[in-house]
Amino acid sequence: MLAVLVGIMVTLLFLDFTGTLHAWLGWMAKIQFLPALLALNAGVVFFLLVLTLLFGRIYCSVICPLGIFQDFVAWLPKRRKKNRYSYSPALSWLRYGVLALFVLAMLGGAGSFVALLEPYSAYGRIVTNLFAPVYQWANNGLAYLSERAGSYAFYETEVWLRSGIVFGIAVVTLVAIAVLAWRNGRTYCNAICPVGTVLGFLSKHSLFRLAIDKDKCVSCNLCARRCKASCIDSKNHRIDYSRCVDCMDCVDVCTHGAIHWESRLKKEGKHDGMQHPAGGCVEPTRRKFLSLVALLAAGTALKAQEKKVDGGLAVIEDKKVPERATSIVPPGAVSARHFAQHCTGCQLCVSVCENQVLRPSTDWQRLMQPEMSYERGYCRPECTKCSEACPAGAIRPITVEEKTAIQIGHAVWVKENCVPLTDGVECGNCARHCPTGAILMVHSVPGDERSLKIPVVNEERCIGCGACEYLCPARPFSAIYVEGHEVHRII
């Protein structure tokens, strides 16, 4: 039940388009292994390592959303065919080979490969690109019905495909993982997932582990046929602890009590003190065990952020993305290099961006990592939701005051597109809506006060928020656009 609850909460983080659930559930993203490691969140990393060294791969079974999703897919055909698994030797060459490539990709800055294999991020992309549109369409349907009933409990939201390439990657990822889980259970976790490989190596040395009592075992093979990790060699009474995810299915199915928890340090021939009056071992129930894990996990919860509600602006359609020499990364990212090195492409920041500024990049060097563009909105100075949501430290937490002083880019005026010069009418939208006063309107003909005014950008005051680009009436390209900075500046 705890795994189901965690899976639902993490999924809701990516589905919620209002940004309100993150105030309560945002800590669920920050206790994921690789994001916590990249964010140098020593407390969470230490907790997960200690948890693994004590009880084995609890993380993979109860905390990792992709692992929980695989268990859900594997559960679906159970009514059709129970006890359908069998023991298979570990594919160590594949596991450690993928892990080596993963580490090299991280060191070499190949963020796309890292994002492709990292389990939490893979699940985030699946939810954001495939499940979220369905969720939003359902919400819009409820909004339509409630409006006609005189209620405004729901409001419509725009459903749009942020990136066709990333959508295709999400589809392939979903199909591949679902097929593997349907046929063989935890194949992805134990043959491909780099996080599973690292935790599996530590799990071999866990203090408490499942063990098979040879005296009680009748070699019925039910435990091996129920094990979705294919890690129980019932013939030789051995369990591969590097692959066991502590799901407890083997304990449930064993009718002779041959599988029990024991301490690795327990002296041979002695019990751990938990005995029936008749002398048999008392196995802790799954509920008690998961309650212990829940208690430990609760200790890692981060303080929830205060709820912030922000209004919306009408969407201006038919804008085209300008060619930027340097992509724009969010305030708090420090630099394009820092962002690329830490971002796992989970797209949680994309989900919480109420202004529809963030979207996955289609550039092969930054594929699946978010970038900013201003065709549907601009980065409001009072909004810091992406910095609050990022679990990997790619976007560092910032305050509203800090954000207004961070220059992520600067505006560039394109004379050929400017409405006063092309249509002969007054405009000034960019200057009126610039939150920093970085744009000044001057006469297009110096000294002629009757000439129409055109914008002049003060690059020292511009923070690159994109309000000018978004609100520019020129079509299809804005007459003013934002060019990104490789390294952010403080003004």
Side-chain angles (χ1 to χ4, degrees):
M1 289 300 297
L2 180 60
V4 173
L5 180 61
V6 170
I8 292 174
M9 290 193 295
V10 175
T11 303
L12 287 176
L13 273 181
F14 292 95
L15 292 180
D16 179 40
F17 55 84
T18 65
T20 55
L21 283 181
H22 184 79
W24 307 102
L25 303 179
W27 62 274
M28 294 298 304
K30 296 180 181 181
I31 62 171
Q32 303 300 324
F33 185 79
L34 186 61
L37 184 64
L38 292 174
L40 300 180
N41 194 333
V44 172
V45 174
F46 178 76
F47 163 75
L48 294 177
L49 294 180
V50 170
L51 180 65
T52 305
L53 288 172
L54 285 177
F55 301 107
R57 291 173 59 180
I58 296 297
Y59 172 86
C60 299
S61 185
V62 180
I63 300 176
C64 176
L66 192 64
I68 297 170
F69 175 73
Q70 289 176 80
D71 285 347
F72 172 73
V73 174
W75 171 81
L76 292 176
K78 274 189 175 181
R79 294 182 180 180
R80 176 177 58 85
K81 185 179 179 181
K82 294 183 178 181
N83 306 325
R84 56 197 177 90
Y85 304 115
S86 61
Y87 171 75
S88 61
L91 299 174
S92 298
W93 63 271
L94 179 59
R95 299 168 69 187
Y96 292 108
V98 172
L99 177 61
L101 291 175
F102 185 82
V103 172
L104 290 175
M106 289 186 63
L107 297 176
S112 299
F113 186 76
V114 173
L116 190 64
L117 294 181
E118 204 280 317
Y120 159 75
S121 301
Y123 183 77
R125 288 191 299 274
I126 290 172
V127 176
T128 301
N129 290 279
L130 305 182
F131 300 165
V134 177
Y135 179 83
Q136 292 164 358
W137 279 322
N139 170 83
N140 291 348
L142 291 174
Y144 176 84
L145 296 175
S146 64
E147 182 180 351
R148 275 145 187 78
S151 170
Y152 293 92
F154 300 89
Y155 65 89
E156 289 191 7
T157 183
E158 184 181 5
V159 183
W160 59 291
L161 182 64
R162 292 174 172 85
S163 170
I165 295 176
V166 178
F167 178 85
I169 292 174
V171 171
V172 173
T173 303
L174 174 64
V175 172
I177 291 177
V179 169
L180 289 174
W182 178 278
R183 292 174 58 87
N184 301 304
R186 288 286 189 125
T187 302
Y188 179 84
C189 288
N190 289 327
I192 300 173
C193 178
V195 175
T197 301
V198 171
L199 296 182
F201 177 79
L202 297 176
S203 184
K204 292 191 295 184
H205 308 285
S206 61
L207 180 59
F208 300 100
R209 54 175 62 176
L210 292 171
I212 301 176
D213 190 333
K214 297 180 181 180
D215 296 330
K216 293 183 179 180
C217 182
V218 296
S219 301
C220 65
N221 204 36
L222 277 178
C223 55
R225 292 164 60 190
R226 181 62 69 89
C227 178
K228 52 180 170 278
S230 301
C231 67
I232 300 180
D233 183 1
S234 59
K235 181 179 179 181
N236 297 305
H237 303 98
R238 286 201 296 259
I239 299 176
D240 183 351
Y241 298 110
S242 70
R243 291 186 289 161
C244 176
V245 294
D246 295 320
C247 66
M248 308 298 174
D249 286 349
C250 56
V251 177
D252 289 345
V253 77
C254 183
T255 57
H256 296 82
I259 302 181
H260 61 277
W261 278 96
E262 70 175 15
S263 170
R264 182 168 61 91
L265 302 179
K266 184 185 67 172
K267 293 182 179 180
E268 186 175 355
K270 292 186 178 181
H271 292 292
D272 56 4
M274 300 174 59
Q275 296 184 339
H276 286 296
C281 291
V282 178
E283 306 299 341
T285 63
R286 183 184 304 193
R287 180 175 298 178
K288 291 181 180 179
F289 179 76
L290 293 184
S291 297
L292 173 62
V293 178
L295 183 62
L296 292 173
T300 66
L302 303 177
K303 182 180 179 182
Q305 303 295 324
E306 293 184 0
K307 177 179 176 181
K308 296 179 182 179
V309 180
D310 196 7
L313 290 177
V315 178
I316 300 176
E317 299 292 346
D318 301 322
K319 285 266 191 175
K320 289 188 177 181
V321 182
E323 288 190 19
R324 310 184 201 271
T326 304
S327 63
I328 311 171
V329 293
V334 181
S335 66
R337 181 177 181 181
H338 175 273
F339 186 77
Q341 289 177 336
H342 289 76
C343 179
T344 63
C346 73
Q347 297 177 24
L348 183 57
C349 59
V350 176
S351 299
V352 301
C353 181
E354 297 178 352
N355 305 311
Q356 299 184 337
V357 170
L358 287 171
R359 63 200 65 182
S361 173
T362 56
D363 188 306
W364 288 106
Q365 293 181 335
R366 306 184 305 274
L367 186 63
M368 298 182 287
Q369 294 184 343
E371 63 182 5
M372 303 178 71
S373 199
Y374 305 119
E375 291 71 53
R376 295 173 177 267
Y378 68 95
C379 189
R380 299 187 184 182
E382 71 274 12
C383 177
T384 58
K385 288 187 178 295
C386 60
S387 73
E388 296 168 1
C390 180
I395 310 174
R396 294 178 178 175
I398 56 174
T399 64
V400 173
E401 292 76 15
E402 290 172 333
K403 182 178 180 180
T404 56
I406 298 175
Q407 188 182 63
I408 61 175
H410 66 274
V412 177
W413 179 56
V414 182
K415 178 180 179 180
E416 293 76 12
N417 297 341
C418 196
V419 170
L421 300 181
T422 59
D423 297 348
V425 295
E426 291 186 0
C427 182
N429 248 15
C430 52
R432 281 195 299 271
H433 294 93
C434 179
T436 62
I439 302 176
L440 178 68
M441 299 301 294
V442 300
H443 291 287
S444 57
V445 179
D448 185 358
E449 295 185 358
R450 293 179 299 176
S451 62
L452 294 172
K453 292 184 176 181
I454 56 176
V456 174
V457 179
N458 182 350
E459 295 185 6
E460 297 301 319
R461 299 186 65 178
C462 178
I463 60 175
C465 68
C468 55
E469 179 179 332
Y470 170 61
L471 295 168
C472 177
R475 294 293 187 275
F477 292 101
S478 295
I480 191 166
Y481 75 97
V482 177
E483 189 62 65
H485 288 171
E486 286 284 348
V487 179
H488 293 176
R489 309 168 189 168
I490 303 298
I491 61 173

